[in-house]
Amino acid sequence: MSKRSGDPRDAEIGKRVRALRLHRGLSQTELGNELEITFQQVQKYEKGTNRISAGRLQKIGEVLNVPITFFFKGEEEEGKKSNTNPVDVNFDFLQTDNAMRLVRAYSRIKQRGVQLKLLRLTESIAGK
């Protein structure tokens, strides 16, 4: 019997869990404690190594305060329409600590004009 390979959907759901966990400022240990599992299990979920059961995904959604549908493809379009998507970002980008630091620092800027100027500067450096 051949070993089952991972499903790309499991990895995508894991990326969304990780991005949202980082957005909420939780460590893997803290999320694991809330879910009554080890941080190693959280790592496996986030990497897509282990599948997340429906019940566990619902619990993750409760802990992170999002509907379970947030973790599935297509939710970002629904979230934009209803303005409920808490993390409207590229999830691959958010897999780094520096990206989350940048997002958090930007969100602390209170002056809308300064945010816009910073956005334009960043886009010009990145070449849009």
Side-chain angles (χ1 to χ4, degrees):
M1 196 177 248
S2 67
K3 191 172 184 176
R4 183 180 60 122
S5 62
D7 189 316
R9 291 174 288 197
D10 296 327
E12 183 61 31
I13 290 169
K15 284 180 184 180
R16 289 170 183 256
V17 170
R18 177 176 168 79
L20 193 55
R21 175 184 60 77
L22 290 171
H23 180 72
R24 298 287 193 254
L26 293 174
S27 69
Q28 290 176 330
T29 300
E30 290 168 327
L31 180 58
N33 288 342
E34 289 290 325
L35 300 172
E36 299 179 352
I37 59 175
T38 65
F39 80 90
Q40 291 97 332
Q41 185 62 48
V42 173
Q43 283 178 333
K44 290 176 183 180
Y45 286 157
E46 290 181 354
K47 289 180 181 179
T49 305
N50 287 6
R51 287 188 171 169
I52 305 173
S53 70
R56 177 83 68 207
L57 192 58
Q58 183 172 0
K59 179 69 175 172
I60 292 169
E62 289 169 3
V63 169
L64 298 175
N65 197 29
V66 293
I68 195 169
T69 56
F70 171 81
F71 300 105
F72 297 96
K73 192 171 187 171
E75 175 62 17
E76 59 271 13
E77 285 77 27
E78 292 175 26
K80 287 177 187 173
K81 290 176 191 169
S82 64
N83 203 22
T84 60
N85 192 341
V87 184
D88 182 22
V89 294
N90 177 326
F91 291 100
D92 291 330
F93 171 71
L94 280 180
Q95 300 307 304
T96 66
D97 290 333
N98 286 342
M100 284 310 302
R101 287 178 57 202
L102 182 61
V103 169
R104 283 190 189 113
Y106 179 84
S107 69
R108 289 191 307 266
I109 298 171
K110 301 299 180 207
Q111 301 88 356
R112 192 77 179 127
V114 173
Q115 283 184 332
L116 184 57
K117 287 177 184 176
L118 181 58
L119 175 62
R120 288 181 181 152
L121 173 64
T122 305
E123 286 176 339
S124 70
I125 292 170
K128 290 194 176 183

